[in-house]
Amino acid sequence: ATAAANLPPNWSVEVREGSAKRYNVYHGPAGLRAVSVPDAWRKHRGETETAPAAEPAAAAPAPAADPAPNSGRIRRRDIVEPFAG
């Protein structure tokens, strides 16, 4: 099957010649463009470019504070000098 046969409705494929190789650009309605067939389907469904639409996750509880985040080591920057002012 060709790439055009797998595209969403009202989408087309344009074959371009680059300096090193040929590549496809997919055109959809309302000026949408995609770089691949799966990208065309994501845009056709209205999903964002960074991640597919998903239900919001439940808020996770905040992790408990670790009283010794450095395993008990004291670094020079952790020492507070008394103010001599």
Side-chain angles (χ1 to χ4, degrees):
T2 65
N6 297 323
L7 285 172
N10 302 316
W11 282 74
S12 62
V13 60
E14 172 190 357
V15 179
R16 292 189 179 176
E17 289 282 338
S19 60
K21 63 179 182 173
R22 295 171 61 172
Y23 62 98
N24 296 336
V25 177
Y26 302 93
H27 299 277
L32 290 175
R33 260 196 248 183
V35 297
S36 65
V37 173
D39 187 35
W41 277 104
R42 281 191 293 272
K43 290 178 179 179
H44 176 74
R45 290 189 299 256
E47 296 174 4
T48 62
E49 293 189 30
T50 55
E55 296 180 23
D66 185 358
N70 297 318
S71 303
R73 293 189 329 235
I74 298 177
R75 297 179 301 213
R76 176 88 177 121
R77 71 177 191 195
D78 294 334
I79 299 171
V80 178
E81 299 292 334
F83 182 67

